[in-house]
Amino acid sequence: MINWLTESEALHYSEPLQKRFGMADDWLGEHRLLRFGSRRIYMANRHLQLPEFQDDTEIEGIGISLLRVHSQAVPKPTFEGSAYLLQHASKNVLALTTEEAELARSATPFSLADERAESLERGFILMHLHGVSFGCATFKDATVTSYFPKRYSHYNAMPLT
Amino acid sequence: MHALNRYQDIVDDWQLFMAACEQPLPATIWTNPLRTSADELEGWLKRYQLDYQSIPYIEGGFEFAHDAPVGRLFPWHAGWYHVQEGVSMMAAAILAPKSGMRVLDMCAAPGGKTAQMATMMAGAGMVFANDLTLARIKALRGTLNRMGIANVISTVQDASKIADDWQQFDAIMADVPCSCEGNLRRNAKVLNKRHNRKYLTQLQQKILLNAFARAKVGANIVYSTCTFAPEENECVLHEVLTQLEGKLEMTTIDLPGAQAQAGLTYWQGQSLHPDIAKAWRIWPHHNNSGGFFIAKLTKVAA
Ligand SMILES: C[S@@+](CC[C@H](N)C(=O)[O-])C[C@H]1O[C@@H](n2cnc3c(N)ncnc32)[C@H](O)[C@@H]1O
């Protein structure tokens, strides 16, 4: 069952994300939020119009997964949702070094020196290496704990130069 | 390779063809314009010190040695590119759906062409990605999430039965199930596999006829297979064009940088519709790829 969120339902999720990562008001662009089965919020092109299928057609999915529904004040972006947010975010973004990227990939916590830690607020942050998203992490007490998914953790076929 | 002998008279250069079939297939990728640019991606390829060259017929397409680990580089998991057989990228590039269109991909899984079309449309408009098999269409979901493609609805239905209530489409991809002989460079065993050719060709015809039914007047349809067998290619087109004379027409294919041979107008004693020469037979030696067949058609009347 596809449930497009009403404007106020959508704000409940989009506003805290927008504040946290400093996106412009129109960061959702041509997208709308929806719920589809699981405890996730999806994002799909707002012009998508579903026909009323009269036959036995099954809808497998729609749009992309953006965040997980839970009780925290700022919803947790999914790994794939983080890549979209990164394209629009202006704060709480961490540019990783190659060594940190390796630690993030294996979900090993690492600490940041003062000057880099000062630019981040406690809570969720987005990470990237030369623009390539590494998903989100929690930042607390100058330590970064990455949520890099296990399904991708073997991704690094070659050493980086 | 004796299964290929039946094609000896129709391949434009048998020696080159056989030599290409013995070679491993290069690894190929295309850049996701929703995430990055070809230049930025090249920056990463250099960082990894990979040898690569541009694919001449695909914007943002790159080709590597067959064993290059392109599926396991950091930019892959961030959705910057997709790994897909070069020749298979041609079909979507030839259909070339525009932003805002309503597009149907009838046999979509695992979804390389869906992803390519949806990004060509800059994430606007909508693509219905349909397949008969739920398990296979689920593989598409991962690709869409990874690449940030939000204008796709994936469905499970028999493509030959997609009905009126789906409404009409501006462009349709019919990349039908086939005997897959063109995949021989990836897996030589495809040539030993037995297929019920009669069943396959009937299904292919039904799917193409239904593509016509679901298309708006003026819409383009791409019919493609990854097999060499004329029975599944030109002969299917011949049957459908004959049934839909004056309503469905072959269209000339224009894809600069790609090499191909004209579709056959004669096979095993039977003359075929002359316009089928507008279709493309892509043998492995033409573009150092797998084998493919592509026809572009236009619905000219209801
Ligand atoms: C050549 S593959 C498609 C490849 C796909 N277009 C891509 O680019 O990734 C053919 C697909 O047709 C599907 N198929 C087989 N019979 C079908 C039917 N009757 N209706 C819809 N899909 C069907 C198969 O499950 C298979 O995924």
Side-chain angles (χ1 to χ4, degrees):
Chain A
M1 227 345 229
I2 294 168
N3 283 314
W4 293 101
L5 301 193
T6 63
E7 222 156 282
S8 63
E9 282 172 329
L11 273 180
H12 175 73
Y13 298 107
S14 64
E15 219 170 38
L17 281 178
Q18 185 183 353
K19 283 202 183 114
R20 173 85 201 155
F21 299 116
M23 275 92 73
D25 285 348
D26 61 352
W27 70 276
L28 269 170
E30 288 294 287
H31 301 109
R32 261 175 85 183
L33 302 185
L34 62 119
R35 219 181 248 120
F36 183 76
S38 66
R39 291 177 62 78
R40 284 183 182 201
I41 300 293
Y42 291 78
M43 181 180 94
N45 184 289
R46 65 169 61 242
H47 305 294
L48 293 191
Q49 270 180 1
L50 284 184
E52 300 265 324
F53 295 116
Q54 303 296 315
D55 51 23
D56 56 354
T57 298
E58 190 179 332
I59 298 177
E60 185 274 328
I62 176 171
I64 59 171
S65 115
L66 184 69
L67 52 95
R68 262 172 254 280
V69 177
H70 59 47
S71 52
Q72 277 166 273
V74 178
K76 182 180 171 202
T78 58
F79 183 71
E80 291 84 1
S82 301
Y84 177 81
L85 295 173
L86 179 69
Q87 291 179 289
H88 301 271
S90 62
K91 62 176 190 170
N92 288 314
V93 173
L94 177 64
L96 299 167
T97 63
T98 307
E99 293 71 37
E100 289 165 351
E102 284 297 339
L103 295 170
R105 178 175 68 93
S106 57
T108 311
F110 58 91
S111 52
L112 294 180
D114 281 356
E115 64 279 20
R116 290 172 77 213
E118 272 160 21
S119 69
L120 301 171
E121 296 162 345
R122 182 185 167 137
F124 291 132
I125 58 167
L126 302 171
M127 305 176 292
H128 71 92
L129 176 66
H130 303 298
V132 160
S133 172
F134 269 64
C136 87
T138 41
F139 178 69
K140 192 178 156 193
D141 302 330
T143 300
V144 176
T145 307
S146 143
Y147 295 109
F148 200 89
K150 282 207 175 66
R151 66 181 178 281
Y152 294 136
S153 57
H154 64 292
Y155 279 80
N156 187 23
M158 297 166 70
L160 280 168
T161 53
Chain B
M1 298 255 177
H2 62 279
L4 299 174
N5 286 344
R6 65 195 295 258
Y7 305 129
Q8 200 147 6
D9 293 338
I10 60 170
V11 180
D12 52 7
D13 190 324
W14 185 252
Q15 306 297 329
L16 284 179
F17 168 67
M18 290 306 280
C21 292
E22 300 289 345
Q23 297 300 314
L25 201 58
T28 43
I29 66 173
W30 55 267
T31 312
N32 177 6
L34 301 178
R35 278 283 145 82
T36 188
S37 65
D39 283 352
E40 261 190 300
L41 181 56
E42 277 195 83
W44 268 92
L45 301 179
K46 289 185 177 129
R47 216 167 263 140
Y48 279 118
Q49 297 184 324
L50 283 168
D51 285 331
Y52 65 91
Q53 59 189 59
S54 293
I55 299 178
Y57 50 86
I58 295 292
E59 215 183 304
F62 297 105
E63 182 181 306
F64 307 80
H66 72 98
D67 54 356
V70 289
R72 292 175 53 212
L73 307 177
F74 282 145
W76 183 90
H77 63 61
W80 280 31
Y81 64 87
H82 190 59
V83 181
Q84 190 179 346
E85 235 253 77
V87 74
S88 163
M89 298 176 199
M90 285 189 195
I94 286 168
L95 187 59
K98 305 250 174 336
S99 204
M101 280 187 167
R102 199 167 184 274
V103 177
L104 173 60
D105 191 353
M106 299 180 93
C107 308
K113 294 177 194 70
T114 302
Q116 220 187 330
M117 293 193 291
T119 57
M120 287 169 88
M121 293 159 68
M126 65 193 286
V127 183
F128 285 75
N130 177 73
D131 203 273
L132 182 65
T133 316
L134 178 66
R136 284 180 59 83
I137 201 84
K138 277 192 186 297
L140 170 61
R141 184 83 359 234
T143 301
L144 300 175
N145 276 327
R146 182 175 59 80
M147 302 189 84
I149 298 172
N151 60 334
V152 175
I153 294 175
S154 45
T155 56
V156 182
Q157 182 56 275
D158 181 338
S160 67
K161 297 189 179 140
I162 290 174
D164 278 352
D165 47 32
W166 288 51
Q167 298 154 16
Q168 304 293 100
F169 293 89
D170 301 297
I172 299 186
M173 174 67 67
D175 185 37
V176 297
C178 69
S179 53
C180 301
E181 292 167 342
N183 290 340
L184 81 173
R185 289 177 72 180
R186 205 168 40 194
N187 175 14
K189 288 190 187 133
V190 291
L191 296 179
N192 306 329
K193 211 170 158 201
R194 292 247 154 258
H195 292 276
N196 182 340
R197 189 155 273 156
K198 190 160 174 234
Y199 166 80
L200 261 184
T201 55
Q202 280 174 356
L203 177 63
Q204 289 158 345
Q205 270 182 43
K206 279 199 253 173
I207 293 176
L208 183 53
L209 282 167
N210 206 29
F212 170 81
R214 298 282 68 83
K216 291 181 184 167
V217 173
N220 287 324
I221 299 168
V222 160
Y223 175 85
S224 59
T225 74
C226 57
T227 197
F228 304 127
E231 295 84 348
E232 300 175 51
N233 296 323
E234 287 91 342
C235 298
V236 169
L237 289 175
H238 176 77
E239 289 301 324
V240 172
L241 287 169
T242 308
Q243 272 191 51
L244 297 172
E245 188 72 53
K247 297 180 177 176
L248 184 65
E249 287 180 356
M250 293 287 301
T251 299
T252 303
I253 293 174
D254 179 27
L255 187 64
Q259 306 294 321
Q261 180 186 314
L264 306 176
T265 52
Y266 186 84
W267 173 245
Q268 292 187 335
Q270 190 194 357
S271 290
L272 305 171
H273 197 297
D275 284 356
I276 294 174
K278 291 180 182 170
W280 276 15
R281 225 167 221 284
I282 304 150
W283 300 102
H285 58 286
H286 286 152
N287 308 279
N288 189 18
S289 67
F292 224 72
F293 178 87
I294 306 179
K296 186 174 182 183
L297 303 115
T298 307
K299 178 169 176 169
V300 292

